[in-house]
Amino acid sequence: MAVNLDVITAKAEHLLKRLISIPSLSREEDFTADLLFDHLKENGNEPKRLKNNVYAFSKDFDSDKPTVLLNSHHDTVKPAKGWTKDPFSATIENDRIYGLGSNDAGASLVCLLYTFAYLNEQSRDYNLIFAATAEEEISGKNGIELLLPELGKIDLGIVGEPTQMNLAVAEKGLMVLDVETLGESGHAAREEGENAIYKALKDIQWFRTFRFPKSSDLLGEVKMTVTQIQSGTQHNVVPDSCKFVVDVRTVETYSNQETLKIIKENVTSPVEARSTRLNSSGVELEHPIVKKGVELGMKTYGSPTLSDQALMAFKTIKIGPGDSARSHTADEYILKAEIRGGMEKYLMLLEGLKI
């Protein structure tokens, strides 16, 4: 690897600090999109923009070659309570760079951008696309989902998220369900009505105890959790409606549609899924990039957290510098050493890759 890691890491750090200084909450990423577009253009690329998604194709793009997508997001969540530092100022303390989005996923983004810049000048057996996308933190429709039709056929996606530079080769999907149990109102002092809460308890217990027959070696079982309940108007009225919300984390053994079908067959109350688009995703352990990563000492695992992988219908891995445990926390930070290590491992993983 001929690249000077000290130089390229310093450039990545500088860009990360600039990104941190610009608020980029989901759906409000206009100014970080401006920065990334201008940065790519100033460095000899021909960037494109679709809403707040910024992307670029590698030089001499050849449709006969396979294509690898390098993707991470530049939106952030709102600052959590408890920040002791300015979340929109890159505060440097020893080896740490503090700031909102530093760990999730600014470090991955800048490392992938400079990986793209370096490999764009090298001979490769595949095309590259770099994409800095919006609305990842809210699984919005104007992020990667909007952009993918503009990119053409993609054979492999590298999704930048904090994984300590290990390979997340599978990821749980998500469905949010709205369930309403109907009863009949009456006076609580008399034997009147049909209590919707009592009727709902049977279905809630099913969600708590049911086990899907097929589980995943990497992700375990489908996990269903009742997270919200709403019922009743006042203390002396038997409620005629009980609404509750279920968080469902799916695995690759069932599509979201298959999971929903099984649920509807087993509960008595009407069930509506807010969306079935966020499916479980992953790649087989025999894929060339996984095998190469393992040879480089990277661990493989199944990730319980959702990312833009859920919207990609092609083979993907999730990998990036930082630690997922720091994401969405007060005083979020990334280590300078993690940025350097991320740059090095991305390059080692992709240089000479055959897919």
Side-chain angles (χ1 to χ4, degrees), residues 198-249:
Y198 295 160
K199 287 185 67 177
L201 288 175
K202 180 180 177 181
D203 286 338
I204 291 172
Q205 181 67 2
W206 181 87
F207 280 111
R208 181 183 179 187
T209 59
F210 182 78
R211 295 292 178 266
F212 285 77
K214 294 185 291 184
S215 62
S216 164
D217 292 338
L218 287 165
L219 298 172
E221 298 181 331
V222 175
K223 189 174 188 303
M224 302 187 292
T225 307
V226 176
T227 55
Q228 294 174 287
I229 298 178
Q230 180 183 6
S231 186
T233 57
Q234 60 189 59
H235 77 89
N236 58 353
V237 177
V238 173
D240 61 359
S241 170
C242 180
K243 298 178 180 179
F244 60 96
V245 176
V246 188
D247 179 291
V248 182
R249 302 290 167 152

Side-chain angles (χ1 to χ4, degrees), residues 16 51 105 125 144 171 176 181 202 204 218 232 262 314 321 323:
L16 176 60
K51 291 190 179 293
D125 292 326
I144 190 69
E171 178 183 273
V176 179
T181 304
K202 180 180 177 181
I204 291 172
L218 287 165
I262 292 170
F314 42 86
D323 187 339

Side-chain angles (χ1 to χ4, degrees), residues 71-91:
N71 163 247
S72 191
H73 63 95
H74 60 106
D75 64 316
T76 71
V77 296
K78 294 178 181 179
K81 292 182 179 179
W83 275 83
T84 64
K85 300 167 172 53
D86 182 354
F88 301 111
S89 176
T91 303

